[in-house]
Each structure stands twice: as structure tokens, then as C-alpha cells.
Amino acid sequence: MTTILVMTFTGIALIGVLGFVGRRKPAADLSEWAVGGRRFGALSMWFLQAGEVFTTFTFLGMAGLAFSGGVAALYALPYVPIGYMVLFFLAKRLWSLGKERGYLTQGDYLEDRYDSKLLGTVAAVLGVVFVLPYLQLQITGLGLIVQLVTGDSASGTLSMVIGCALVVAFVLWAGLHGVAMTSYFKDVVMLVVLAVLLIAVPAHFTGGVTAMFHRIDKLHPELLTIHAGPSDQVWFTTSMLVSMLGVGLMCLPHAWPAVMSARDPKVLRRNYTWMPLYELCLLMPIIVGFAAVLVVKPGTPANGILLTLSKQVLPTWATGLVVVAAIATAMVPAAGILIGISSLVARNIARVRDERKQFWINHGTVVAACGLSLLLAIYRPDLLANLLLLTYSGTVQLAPAIALGFLSRRPVGKVAVLAGLFAGELVVVWLTFWQKGLAGNVNAGLVGLAANIVVLVLAAAAERLTTRTPAQDVARSPAASTSP
């Protein structure tokens, strides 16, 4: 067995062990398991929220996007910091509502704010449908990482099976505490690896970062501007806007457990002050991707660029460390996604009142969701590929409902919100699967959001007209206001 393969499976086992160590005591209820009893401090919150952002395809995909699209990859740099700036102002209200009303999930929030179990269930179903492909993506990425560095597809499949088994085991055992513990390891090893690659790769091939960009400017100047094509300015702007709304308004359901777990709103606001600076770390894999433009043949699979350059530049043991970091960016986010999905099913879809039964449904969903994603990753890796396009575009359709829910008196009711939500989702699905070129390079989620808001406003106006009483009509008539 090669050194890289030994380090790979050692890394997978280490992440699993850290997840088990995260448990302090048996979870008494779903609140303790899913949101850590709402007792997490600033450090734990920092790593939990960072863990949601740096996933497999952030770690590897940013390098690949820079390799294929140049500076278009920078669209991913500003939207998270802008989203955190929005959350800096909204977090206190959101956390206070969650503490007072007992929210564990996005569905809990929407159900309570609009007094509608139907809306809570619909939001939960949409959350599961749109986030499940994201879970499969992490598992598929885990196998791809091992396969790329070993050249053996069987090793990739074995790593997926072992990785999934350990993730399920420590999530069931430790819940969000286990995710927090593994997040510490993941972020530290990832940052060390990226810092080494940022220095080593450009220095090895071009003599440094400055020299690298001078050569790119001479040989491939088009990569240093946002130019016409599938990743043009329209795509850049609209994709950044949709992603920013998704982050800033908490549209992704697996982001909710981390926020609800905070000890107090000061913890959240402190993190949202500094986390935008942390997002600058995304520049590291992007710069590695630019280096690949000069040394890797065009047409090379983009997602493997970072690992390909690592093997050429670093000694074997160091490449093994890169692989461990990449695996951590798959396993840790997968654990957080599982908590988000299972909580939605137990709280907002199955709707079992008995706490013990709710706990069992939650745990059963963890096993079922991860098992299904593993099977699809092995046997039908492309089956949910199209659905992945809907992850952000689909979940952002919840933005109007979430935003209006922050108001003390909401100007619209549940019927209008549901009507807008369904209209937005239908437009997104239509543009994604049947009329792909109709909106040009405009992000389908933004077009759907426009339709969502229009239908919501019209439905709210119709709702007000239909609920107006005859006495109100008389009071508002000119005759009623005339003195005798």
C-alpha cells in the first residue's frame, strides 16, 4: 500500500475519531443533538460556520474554475462576506426568535412566523430535495479525491464507504458537537495546506506569484478579464447576487443549526464582524488554478487541478497531507448537511410529537440520507447532477418568506407566500431543464425570484380585497363619509 493511500485512510479514521470525541454527554433531546443545547461560544461557532463555506468543491473547485474561466472564479469571493454583513444586522433578531420560540430548523421559523404548518412542510421538503444533491456531491468528491491521487477507482469507492460509515456513526453519536470538533481539525489542516501550495506551486513553475501573473498576462490575457461567453459579466453579477441572498437570508437549511446553537447573539455578531476576512482564503486555491493554466494541458479535468499540481511539486508525504485536507472538506460539511436534513424530516415533515420517536426518525433519516447518497455516488454519480444546479437557485426562492418573517407585523399572509414560492420554483425548474438558453447568462434563481415577488405581491393584494368586510367597504365609501 502506497504512502498516500495509508495517509488517506489514516486521515479518514482520524476525522471519525475526532467526531466521536466531540460528544460530552448523551443527548437528552433533539435540541441538544441538533443545536448543541444552544451553548456554543465564539470559537466553536467560528469553525462551524466556516465549515459550511469551505467544502470539497470550494477547496478543489475554485482552482478548477480559475483554470477554466480565469477571474470569473472571483464571483465566489465577495458574496459570502456581503451575506455576513447582512447577517450581522439580522442575527440578533433571528437568534432571539429561535431561543424564545424553540426553533431548530428553517421550517420551524417559517411555520411559526406565518402560522402555517403547510408552509413549514413545503419549505422542509424543498430543503431536503435541494440539499440532498449537495450531500451526494461531498461523497462523490471524497471518492474522486482518492481516485485522482491513487489512479485506482476501487480505492475511491472504498474511501467513500468508509468515510460515510464514520460520518454517520459520529453524527449519530455526537450530533453538532461532533461536527464542531471535526471542524477544528478541518480548518487548521486546510489552511496549512493551502498556504504551502500558495507558495510552492507558483515558485516551482514560474518563480513566484508576480511572475506567474506576468506570464498569464502575456500568454492568456483573456483570463484576467471577465469576457464574453458563458461566464460573462451578466453571469458573474447575477450568480454573485443570488448566492449573496442565499447566505444573507439563511436560505440553505443546513446553515440554521449552527446559528441556533450560539450561546447568545453577541457570539454571532462577533463572528460576522471578522469572518469576511477569513473568506479571503478562497484566493489561495484560485491562485493555484491560475498556475495550472501555464503548466497543465487544456481539456484536463478541472476539479483535479489542485491535486495534480500537488503531486508534481510536493513530496509524497506532503501530497498525502493535501489529500487529508481535501477529505476533511468533504466529510465535515457532509456531517453538517446530514444534521440539517434529518432535523427537517423529524420536525417538519414526519411531525411526530413524541420526543423519543422524533429522535429515532431523525437518526433513521441520517442513515437513510447518507446511504442513498452513497449508493447514487457509486452507481449513478450523474443522476442528481441536474438537481445540483437547483441547490442555490431553488433555495433562494425562500428569501422573500424569510425576509418578511423578520417583521413584527407581516404585510402578507401564508397564501401569498406559498403562491410566490411555487411560482419561483416553477420558473427555476423550467429555465434549468426545458428552456436553458431563454434567460441567457442570467442566473435562473434571480429570474425565479423576480417571478416569486411579483406573484407574492399580486396574491397579497388579491387576499386583501377578498378578505375586506362589507362594513369596511361602507366605511370607506364617499357616502359614508358625508355629514347629514
Side-chain angles (χ1 to χ4, degrees), residues 385-402:
N386 286 332
L387 279 180
L388 185 61
L389 299 173
L390 302 177
T391 297
Y392 282 93
S393 298
T395 55
V396 81
Q397 303 310 313
L398 293 166
I402 293 171

Side-chain angles (χ1 to χ4, degrees), residues 9-27:
F9 288 111
T10 301
I12 292 174
L14 177 60
I15 294 167
V17 169
L18 289 173
F20 277 95
V21 171
R23 172 168 162 167
R24 299 179 181 178
K25 61 180 181 179

Side-chain angles (χ1 to χ4, degrees), residues 38-97:
R38 307 181 195 273
R39 295 189 300 272
F40 282 11
L43 186 64
S44 296
M45 286 297 304
W46 177 280
F47 285 104
L48 274 175
Q49 293 183 301
E52 294 168 356
V53 176
F54 287 94
T55 65
T56 311
F57 283 88
T58 305
F59 187 69
L60 302 180
M62 285 297 97
L65 187 55
F67 171 70
S68 59
V71 294
L74 292 176
Y75 97 93
L77 197 62
Y79 77 77
V80 174
I82 296 172
Y84 285 156
M85 290 170 62
V86 174
L87 282 171
F88 177 85
F89 296 100
L90 298 181
K92 182 177 180 179
R93 171 94 171 133
L94 182 60
W95 184 91
S96 299
L97 284 170

Side-chain angles (χ1 to χ4, degrees), residues 375-387:
L375 289 174
L376 291 173
I378 294 173
Y379 296 108
R380 297 291 301 276
D382 298 324
L383 184 63
L384 294 181
N386 286 332
L387 279 180

Side-chain angles (χ1 to χ4, degrees), residues 30-258:
L30 194 56
S31 175
E32 177 66 36
W33 183 86
V35 299
R38 307 181 195 273
R39 295 189 300 272
F40 282 11
L43 186 64
S44 296
M45 286 297 304
W46 177 280
F47 285 104
L48 274 175
Q49 293 183 301
E52 294 168 356
V53 176
F54 287 94
T55 65
T56 311
F57 283 88
T58 305
F59 187 69
L60 302 180
M62 285 297 97
L65 187 55
F67 171 70
S68 59
V71 294
L74 292 176
Y75 97 93
L77 197 62
Y79 77 77
V80 174
I82 296 172
Y84 285 156
M85 290 170 62
V86 174
L87 282 171
F88 177 85
F89 296 100
L90 298 181
K92 182 177 180 179
R93 171 94 171 133
L94 182 60
W95 184 91
S96 299
L97 284 170
K99 177 73 171 178
E100 177 187 347
R101 309 290 290 177
Y103 302 154
L104 300 184
T105 67
Q106 183 188 75
D108 289 346
Y109 167 84
L110 291 171
E111 178 180 331
D112 178 65
R113 301 307 290 162
Y114 293 92
D115 191 24
S116 173
K117 288 186 177 181
L118 177 60
L119 178 58
T121 300
V122 168
V125 170
L126 291 174
V128 172
V129 168
F130 291 137
V131 175
L132 190 62
Y134 201 44
L135 173 61
Q136 185 194 333
L137 188 63
Q138 308 309 317
I139 297 171
T140 304
L142 174 60
L144 177 64
I145 291 162
V146 179
Q147 184 176 338
L148 282 171
V149 295
T150 63
D152 182 9
S153 60
S155 296
T157 302
L158 181 60
S159 67
M160 287 192 289
V161 173
I162 296 174
C164 282
L166 287 173
V167 167
V168 167
F170 82 70
V171 166
L172 294 179
W173 177 257
L176 198 66
H177 284 290
V179 180
M181 182 63 72
T182 55
S183 294
Y184 301 151
F185 171 77
K186 179 203 120 188
D187 273 36
V188 170
V189 71
M190 181 193 71
L191 289 177
V192 169
V193 163
L194 286 177
V196 169
L197 290 175
L198 177 65
I199 297 170
V201 171
H204 179 82
F205 291 112
T206 63
V209 174
T210 303
M212 178 190 77
F213 278 109
H214 279 307
R215 286 187 60 186
I216 291 174
D217 187 37
K218 283 185 178 181
L219 300 175
H220 305 282
E222 72 281 359
L223 293 179
L224 299 179
T225 60
I226 301 175
H227 51 274
S231 300
D232 63 4
Q233 292 181 355
V234 173
W235 174 88
F236 184 98
T237 305
T238 58
S239 295
M240 184 180 69
L241 182 58
V242 166
S243 300
M244 181 270 291
L245 288 170
V247 173
L249 292 174
M250 298 283 291
C251 294
L252 291 169
H254 61 278
W256 284 70

Side-chain angles (χ1 to χ4, degrees), residues 344-430:
L344 284 173
V345 172
R347 295 273 293 188
N348 308 115
I349 298 177
R351 296 192 176 279
V352 176
R353 293 185 178 180
D354 182 81
E355 287 191 3
R356 185 172 179 80
K357 289 182 180 179
Q358 189 180 82
F359 213 53
W360 281 111
I361 289 173
N362 175 280
H363 282 29
T365 302
V366 169
V367 177
C370 198
L372 176 62
S373 297
L374 174 62
L375 289 174
L376 291 173
I378 294 173
Y379 296 108
R380 297 291 301 276
D382 298 324
L383 184 63
L384 294 181
N386 286 332
L387 279 180
L388 185 61
L389 299 173
L390 302 177
T391 297
Y392 282 93
S393 298
T395 55
V396 81
Q397 303 310 313
L398 293 166
I402 293 171
L404 292 171
F406 281 98
L407 303 177
S408 298
R409 294 187 62 185
R410 289 164 302 286
V412 299
K414 57 189 176 185
V415 174
V417 168
L418 281 166
L421 179 59
F422 280 121
E425 299 294 6
L426 286 173
V427 168
V428 168
V429 171
W430 183 52

